[in-house]
Amino acid sequence: MEEMDHLPPHLRKTIFEKLYKVAEYAKLTKEEQKMYDQDLKRKWDNAAVLAQAEETGEARGEARGMRKKAEELARVFKKKGIALDLIAEGTGLSIQEIEKL
């Protein structure tokens, strides 16, 4: 294993790649393993933070889109003379919000 710089093409199958990574890790010194583990943890933490940020961004975008659609509907209904309480009930907007549109 010490003589191999990379995995030969005929061994590039998932199980062999995993074994190769384990062997590479095993030949690291304790200090190198610690540094590797810290780096790997940092990578996982960053990925988790990014995933959470994406979820939050998507949720905010959806909420803004729903809000915008409700306001558009309220404007149309208001122009048609539909009662504000009915518009509020249908769109989820308050009567005050509808009056401002």
Side-chain angles (χ1 to χ4, degrees):
M1 204 43 123
E2 289 179 24
E3 298 170 11
M4 292 176 48
D5 291 334
H6 63 282
L7 197 59
H10 67 281
L11 294 179
R12 290 196 180 135
K13 304 232 183 314
T14 306
I15 188 68
F16 293 116
E17 288 172 351
K18 287 181 182 178
L19 286 171
Y20 185 78
K21 287 178 184 179
V22 169
E24 285 291 307
Y25 180 82
K27 72 179 190 179
L28 297 175
T29 67
K30 291 295 179 192
E31 184 64 26
E32 289 171 330
Q33 286 179 357
K34 184 178 178 182
M35 288 174 19
Y36 176 84
D37 292 343
Q38 289 172 343
D39 188 53
L40 192 57
K41 181 184 181 311
R42 211 172 290 122
K43 179 182 173 184
W44 290 339
D45 289 347
N46 288 340
V49 168
L50 179 60
Q52 180 62 40
E54 288 173 349
E55 280 183 32
T56 301
E58 287 175 10
R60 286 181 184 164
E62 288 176 13
R64 286 181 188 150
M66 290 172 47
R67 171 73 182 198
K68 186 175 180 180
K69 186 65 177 174
E71 289 174 354
E72 289 173 15
L73 288 172
R75 278 189 198 93
V76 170
F77 292 154
K78 187 177 174 184
K79 284 182 185 177
K80 292 188 181 254
I82 296 175
L84 296 183
D85 61 324
L86 292 176
I87 297 172
E89 184 180 329
T91 62
L93 300 173
S94 70
I95 292 176
Q96 295 81 11
E97 290 171 318
I98 297 167
E99 288 173 340
K100 291 178 185 179
L101 297 175

